[in-house]
Amino acid sequence: MNAPTAALHLQPRAIPQAFLDALAARFGSRCSTAQAVREQHGRDEGSIQAPPPAAVVYAESTQDVADAVQLADQYEVPVIAYGAGSSLEGHLLAVQGGISIDVSRMNQVLRVNAEDMTVTVQPGILRKQLNDAIKDQGLFFPIDPGADASIGGMTSTRASGTNAVRYGTMRENVLALEVVTAQGRIIRTGNRAKKSAAGYDLTRLMVGSEGTLGIFTEITLRLFPLPEAVSAAVCSFPTIADAVHTVIQTIQMGVPIARVELVDAATVAMVNKHSNLTLREEPMLLMEFHGSPNGVKEQAEMVQDIAAEFDAKGFEWADTPEERTRLFTARHNAYFAGIQSRPGCRSITTDTCVPISRLADCLLESIDEVNASGIPYFLVGHVGDGNFHFGYLIDPDNADERHRAEALNHALVRRAIAMEGTCTGEHGIGIHKQDFLREECGDGAIAMMAAIKQALDPKNILNPGKIFTL
Amino acid sequence: MNAPTAALHLQPRAIPQAFLDALAARFGSRCSTAQAVREQHGRDEGSIQAPPPAAVVYAESTQDVADAVQLADQYEVPVIAYGAGSSLEGHLLAVQGGISIDVSRMNQVLRVNAEDMTVTVQPGILRKQLNDAIKDQGLFFPIDPGADASIGGMTSTRASGTNAVRYGTMRENVLALEVVTAQGRIIRTGNRAKKSAAGYDLTRLMVGSEGTLGIFTEITLRLFPLPEAVSAAVCSFPTIADAVHTVIQTIQMGVPIARVELVDAATVAMVNKHSNLTLREEPMLLMEFHGSPNGVKEQAEMVQDIAAEFDAKGFEWADTPEERTRLFTARHNAYFAGIQSRPGCRSITTDTCVPISRLADCLLESIDEVNASGIPYFLVGHVGDGNFHFGYLIDPDNADERHRAEALNHALVRRAIAMEGTCTGEHGIGIHKQDFLREECGDGAIAMMAAIKQALDPKNILNPGKIFTL
């Protein structure tokens, strides 16, 4: 059982010197073949490694991207778009060689339409930068995967994160795209109308396509009004089951909670150490409520009542922005806290998502399994969506540990699929989850995806070897 | 300017007798070639006509659909899925010949998951039948296009309607599908998890594909809790502009209104006559609020305050289910009231949708234009979404009237596109709006759609000649 094998065993394609010469002629100093630059663009935050791309082009406009892709099309060379490098499943790895198109300089807010609550941005803008740019207009973009990812990357992986329980994911919040196709043609999908029945939903097809169907050069997003009132709280529970059942009841009662994050006791200890906090080292929920002052109060009271039924204690409120930021930053740093807890380790991070009614079963069975394995781990979850992450903290040089961790991951994925869930709630497939995708979707759906890929990218130059291996 | 021309000028393909014999052998009395049956299946509620299909197969299972499509694949014969026949843009017309697969007998609720608020149904179930089946569990499916459409048809056209302003459209509310492909293969897309980043979003690609990429045999939908409190109101305004500005402010203030429908003065008069009502014959808004008793009260007060700024009068509340049903039934019957107002006429119904900030401009300019033309019309709109419908009431035998009405439609569509909107908010493209789709999306996006169609249906047997003409 080794999911990434197929993709990693592909032969990198030869890169013609004439292609590199043409790139250099077109992009000058914005085309780099320096080893350090290439290496930086040939990895992500995941645990898999591959040789770096042959060159990196720094695109500064849609036309730059189109021109680079036209050359790649002409010479049949793979192209991989690069935003912030925060993906987790090997999305950026040049497993078939090729070049990286770095869009991080394409980071402008192009148009804010405050009355319609939409914004059009370039793909390289980081989500925090976007929120800084629009907050004066009383608006925000809620999708928050933790990392300060680029909007282009978030669109490519159909990202979500802590706020998705209330605001949805990139699937619901990308309205329109400008896309450079595999032929280097510039097309537009979607528009700014709130709904449309105009032909195939190319926007939704592109969202989550992981750079394999097109490179995004403009992205139009839905925004939300900054909530009038925000309140956050932490509380602890005797068992994980109690915490999870609190969440399930909260969701089933329709409380519009904005965030509800689970952290298990051992992970709270890691977070305390990493972020210098003194949270109770018990299973914990972090919650946030958005709304009118009355609405927030009503929501918080309802959740407190539910939590009390499950023996919650230590309810602590964080009402200032600083306290809230401190709490959620600590939560977001759980990954790094986990990594730090075992020096030299790497994390194999799971991403299953199940219907909320199956969350307790899925989570508790999986905890028993990982505890029995003896592999150290952290555990956090966007549990309001039924999505949670184990990080199996393995010694990357220990093949046996990696194998056992992948086997745990596989068992968890099978459990989630049997419960009508998915192997990935938000991280995407990349090169790491391709076998899982096949188990989840079946050969028929994979064949349909592959047929679409081959129709739109017959030379297989757009991030080849990701999602599936043709 | 005559949008449907290209599709209608295609030659129907020959139907081999061996194919009809094979169908008869497989389906017996469930395959009909009776003239009346064929004619019933060869039309919809739109204004375009074409010769009927060569046969109608009544499918009772997924395997029936798969077998019929496999035969159609073998003999290269077009197949058109038929639900309730309520589409408006010629979706069901056998413009290239072929057969109709009637799924109306596949009308079962297969599984309700009350805890997750999801349901899996067969495609032929009607939306009222679905709601009757689940109301005892305190749940409802909100999408309401007016007609008692089939869920399969609503999925195919990406339908929405009066409740979409609050609950979204079929795009947001279809979670998973079982689909029979052009090769007669049965595949599954999506799952019941609330979010997923697992490969291409085939579910969203299928929603709105108008029968051209696959035939749906199971549909999993998101449900909502029946609101604790519901309240509805009508009020009148001195001008349409006042009514529209009330809506724009309501939306921009984030009031979670469940329905907000505009009816112009002349259409109110038609509705009064058709439904035997005595509504004030002035521009009118019909509104509905869902929530807790306090929430509904708060929402209603906010909207009343906004409406007062725009000189609303005659606020009347409908608090019993019977009164509410009477009001919204009258609204839904505006189409029939319009048709009845000019005996023998047919309606060419527009469907543009624009960003809410552009709604007043788009609507008012278009009203001036249609008034100047002298063509009688009705006007209603799901204005909270920026979506509205003119029904141009033409004499179907008067080519000049049809031509002028299509020209008005075209001018309106161009206006909406220039305002970053769409030619169709909810009715779909069918054969009627193909030129509009090209203007809206551009050749590049149409080429991408066509490439997908050709990849998934290389023999072009699935509802050929709809959305675009290959």
Side-chain angles (χ1 to χ4, degrees):
Chain A
M1 210 304 302
N2 197 342
T5 309
L8 288 175
H9 285 185
L10 292 168
Q11 280 301 315
R13 297 188 223 168
I15 311 289
Q17 186 59 42
F19 168 71
L20 292 175
D21 292 345
L23 271 191
R26 167 65 177 81
F27 293 100
S29 64
R30 293 195 284 118
C31 176
S32 172
T33 53
Q35 181 76 9
V37 171
R38 289 164 49 217
E39 281 179 359
Q40 183 217 338
H41 287 78
R43 60 174 179 245
D44 64 7
E45 294 287 343
S47 67
I48 306 169
Q49 292 175 318
V56 176
V57 168
Y58 290 90
E60 293 180 351
S61 68
T62 297
Q63 198 58 53
D64 279 352
V65 175
D67 287 353
V69 174
Q70 276 167 27
L71 286 172
D73 172 55
Q74 185 183 335
Y75 290 95
E76 305 203 14
V77 171
V79 289
I80 305 166
Y82 184 98
S86 55
S87 58
L88 289 166
E89 300 295 355
H91 291 92
L92 298 170
L93 274 55
V95 287
Q96 295 197 32
I99 64 162
S100 174
I101 300 182
D102 183 317
V103 298
S104 63
R105 296 180 187 175
M106 295 174 66
N107 64 354
Q108 297 304 299
V109 173
L110 299 174
R111 289 175 292 282
V112 181
N113 291 86
E115 285 187 306
D116 298 316
M117 292 189 280
T118 69
V119 66
T120 300
V121 300
Q122 291 185 305
I125 194 170
L126 304 178
R127 72 178 174 82
K128 289 181 185 171
Q129 185 191 352
L130 169 59
N131 275 315
D132 283 344
I134 58 178
K135 69 182 175 199
D136 288 349
Q137 303 190 55
L139 296 168
F140 82 120
F141 181 65
I143 314 298
D144 175 2
D148 193 13
S150 70
I151 296 296
M154 289 168 64
T155 304
S156 295
T157 53
R158 206 178 296 128
S160 50
T162 54
N163 274 315
V165 62
R166 165 106 178 221
Y167 297 98
T169 74
M170 294 304 278
R171 178 176 71 192
E172 287 80 23
N173 290 294
V174 175
L175 294 173
L177 295 167
E178 182 186 76
V179 181
V180 171
T181 70
Q183 294 74 39
R185 190 171 188 178
I186 300 161
I187 70 161
R188 290 190 171 274
T189 73
N191 52 60
R192 292 205 306 113
K194 203 176 148 201
K195 63 186 195 182
S196 171
Y200 302 161
D201 192 345
L202 297 180
T203 305
R204 244 58 51 180
L205 178 66
M206 288 289 160
V207 173
S209 62
E210 304 189 8
T212 66
L213 297 180
I215 297 181
F216 312 143
T217 46
E218 287 188 17
I219 301 163
T220 301
L221 301 168
R222 192 175 164 206
L223 300 176
F224 291 82
L226 279 166
E228 203 186 338
V230 176
S231 183
V234 287
C235 66
S236 302
F237 293 85
T239 68
I240 285 195
D242 289 316
V244 171
H245 285 296
T246 297
V247 175
I248 293 174
Q249 275 206 19
T250 299
I251 297 300
Q252 288 177 347
M253 289 187 63
V255 180
I257 195 165
R259 310 191 204 220
V260 54
E261 295 288 304
L262 172 73
V263 188
D264 82 336
T267 309
V268 175
M270 296 175 194
V271 164
N272 275 342
K273 193 165 172 200
H274 180 270
S275 298
N276 203 17
L277 293 169
T278 56
L279 298 163
R280 297 168 75 101
E281 296 183 358
E282 290 176 334
M284 181 181 87
L285 290 180
L286 270 89
M287 294 169 280
E288 195 167 280
F289 305 95
H290 296 176
S292 66
N294 276 341
V296 162
K297 193 159 161 278
E298 207 175 86
Q299 290 174 47
E301 282 168 4
M302 283 176 80
V303 175
Q304 262 186 301
D305 288 348
I306 297 168
E309 287 176 42
F310 293 100
D311 300 319
K313 55 194 164 187
F315 244 96
E316 282 178 49
W317 292 90
D319 285 320
T320 70
E322 293 71 26
E323 286 173 89
R324 285 198 305 272
T325 301
R326 190 153 157 267
L327 270 183
F328 279 95
T329 303
R331 156 64 190 88
H332 281 324
N333 287 337
Y335 173 82
F336 300 103
I339 294 282
Q340 214 180 50
S341 72
R342 187 180 182 192
C345 77
R346 294 204 63 119
S347 169
I348 291 180
T349 309
T350 73
D351 186 30
T352 50
C353 184
V354 294
I356 194 86
S357 68
R358 308 308 307 274
L359 177 61
D361 286 346
C362 189
L363 194 45
L364 299 175
E365 288 173 27
S366 304
I367 289 171
D368 286 347
E369 206 163 49
V370 63
N371 282 337
S373 80
I375 291 192
Y377 65 95
F378 66 86
L379 170 62
V380 295
H382 314 310
V383 278
D385 288 323
N387 184 209
F388 57 88
H389 309 298
F390 285 99
Y392 306 126
L393 302 169
I394 61 157
D395 171 355
D397 299 326
N398 183 329
D400 175 61
E401 266 192 22
R402 181 183 286 273
H403 185 81
R404 281 160 54 218
E406 291 289 2
L408 282 173
N409 194 358
H410 197 172
L412 167 55
V413 164
R414 288 202 163 151
R415 182 172 297 121
I417 293 170
M419 291 175 172
E420 299 179 80
T422 175
C423 67
T424 176
E426 56 185 19
H427 294 168
I429 300 297
I431 53 181
H432 189 214
K433 293 204 172 88
Q434 297 187 8
D435 290 349
F436 298 164
L437 182 69
R438 190 170 288 274
E439 284 186 46
E440 177 174 330
C441 299
D443 290 343
I446 297 284
M448 186 174 277
M449 292 184 202
I452 293 168
K453 167 71 173 171
Q454 284 166 319
L456 301 191
D457 179 18
K459 297 177 184 171
N460 197 23
I461 64 168
L462 293 175
N463 206 6
K466 311 302 159 61
I467 303 184
F468 37 68
T469 306
L470 292 173
Chain B
M1 208 304 303
N2 196 341
T5 310
L8 288 176
H9 284 186
L10 292 168
Q11 280 301 315
R13 297 188 223 167
I15 311 289
Q17 185 59 42
F19 168 71
L20 292 174
D21 293 345
L23 270 191
R26 167 66 177 80
F27 292 100
S29 64
R30 291 194 284 120
C31 176
S32 172
T33 53
Q35 181 75 9
V37 170
R38 290 163 48 216
E39 281 180 358
Q40 184 217 338
H41 288 78
R43 61 175 178 245
D44 64 7
E45 295 286 343
S47 67
I48 306 168
Q49 291 174 317
V56 176
V57 168
Y58 290 89
E60 294 180 352
S61 67
T62 298
Q63 197 57 53
D64 278 351
V65 175
D67 287 353
V69 175
Q70 276 168 26
L71 285 172
D73 172 55
Q74 186 184 332
Y75 290 95
E76 304 203 16
V77 171
V79 289
I80 304 166
Y82 184 98
S86 54
S87 58
L88 288 166
E89 300 295 356
H91 292 91
L92 299 170
L93 273 56
V95 287
Q96 295 197 33
I99 63 162
S100 174
I101 300 182
D102 183 318
V103 298
S104 63
R105 297 181 186 174
M106 294 174 66
N107 64 354
Q108 298 302 300
V109 173
L110 299 175
R111 288 175 293 282
V112 180
N113 291 86
E115 286 187 307
D116 298 316
M117 293 188 280
T118 69
V119 66
T120 300
V121 299
Q122 291 185 305
I125 194 171
L126 304 178
R127 71 177 174 83
K128 289 181 185 171
Q129 185 192 351
L130 168 60
N131 275 315
D132 283 344
I134 57 179
K135 69 181 174 200
D136 288 350
Q137 301 189 57
L139 297 168
F140 81 121
F141 181 66
I143 314 299
D144 174 3
D148 194 12
S150 70
I151 296 296
M154 289 168 64
T155 305
S156 296
T157 53
R158 207 180 294 128
S160 49
T162 53
N163 274 315
V165 63
R166 165 107 178 222
Y167 297 98
T169 74
M170 294 305 278
R171 178 176 72 192
E172 287 80 23
N173 291 295
V174 175
L175 294 173
L177 294 167
E178 182 186 76
V179 181
V180 171
T181 71
Q183 294 75 38
R185 191 172 187 178
I186 300 161
I187 69 162
R188 290 189 172 274
T189 74
N191 51 61
R192 292 206 306 113
K194 203 176 149 200
K195 63 185 195 183
S196 171
Y200 300 161
D201 192 344
L202 297 180
T203 305
R204 246 55 54 181
L205 179 64
M206 288 289 160
V207 173
S209 62
E210 304 189 7
T212 66
L213 297 180
I215 297 181
F216 311 144
T217 46
E218 285 188 19
I219 301 162
T220 300
L221 301 168
R222 191 174 164 207
L223 300 176
F224 292 83
L226 279 166
E228 203 186 338
V230 176
S231 182
V234 287
C235 67
S236 302
F237 293 84
T239 67
I240 285 194
D242 290 316
V244 171
H245 285 296
T246 297
V247 174
I248 293 174
Q249 275 207 19
T250 299
I251 297 299
Q252 287 177 347
M253 288 188 62
V255 180
I257 195 165
R259 312 192 203 219
V260 54
E261 296 289 306
L262 173 73
V263 187
D264 81 335
T267 308
V268 175
M270 295 175 196
V271 164
N272 275 341
K273 191 164 172 201
H274 180 271
S275 298
N276 202 17
L277 292 170
T278 56
L279 298 163
R280 295 169 76 101
E281 296 184 358
E282 291 176 332
M284 181 182 87
L285 290 180
L286 271 88
M287 295 169 279
E288 194 168 279
F289 305 96
H290 295 176
S292 67
N294 275 341
V296 162
K297 193 158 162 278
E298 208 175 85
Q299 290 173 47
E301 282 168 4
M302 284 176 78
V303 175
Q304 262 186 301
D305 287 349
I306 297 168
E309 286 176 45
F310 294 100
D311 300 320
K313 56 193 165 186
F315 243 97
E316 283 178 48
W317 292 90
D319 285 320
T320 69
E322 294 71 26
E323 286 174 89
R324 286 198 306 272
T325 301
R326 190 153 156 267
L327 270 184
F328 279 95
T329 302
R331 155 64 189 88
H332 281 324
N333 287 338
Y335 173 81
F336 300 104
I339 294 282
Q340 213 179 50
S341 73
R342 188 181 181 192
C345 77
R346 295 203 60 120
S347 170
I348 291 179
T349 309
T350 73
D351 186 30
T352 49
C353 184
V354 294
I356 194 86
S357 68
R358 308 307 308 274
L359 177 62
D361 286 346
C362 189
L363 194 45
L364 297 175
E365 288 173 27
S366 303
I367 288 171
D368 286 348
E369 206 164 49
V370 63
N371 282 337
S373 80
I375 291 193
Y377 66 94
F378 66 86
L379 170 61
V380 295
H382 314 309
V383 278
D385 288 325
N387 183 210
F388 57 87
H389 309 297
F390 286 99
Y392 306 126
L393 302 169
I394 61 157
D395 172 354
D397 299 324
N398 184 329
D400 175 61
E401 266 193 23
R402 179 183 287 273
H403 185 82
R404 282 159 54 217
E406 291 289 2
L408 282 173
N409 194 359
H410 197 171
L412 167 55
V413 164
R414 287 201 164 152
R415 181 172 298 120
I417 293 170
M419 292 176 172
E420 299 179 81
T422 176
C423 67
T424 177
E426 56 185 18
H427 294 168
I429 300 297
I431 54 182
H432 189 214
K433 293 204 172 85
Q434 298 187 7
D435 291 349
F436 298 163
L437 182 70
R438 190 169 288 275
E439 285 186 47
E440 176 174 331
C441 299
D443 290 343
I446 297 284
M448 186 173 280
M449 292 184 202
I452 293 168
K453 167 70 173 172
Q454 284 166 319
L456 302 191
D457 179 18
K459 297 178 184 171
N460 196 23
I461 63 168
L462 292 175
N463 207 6
K466 310 302 159 64
I467 302 183
F468 37 67
T469 305
L470 293 173

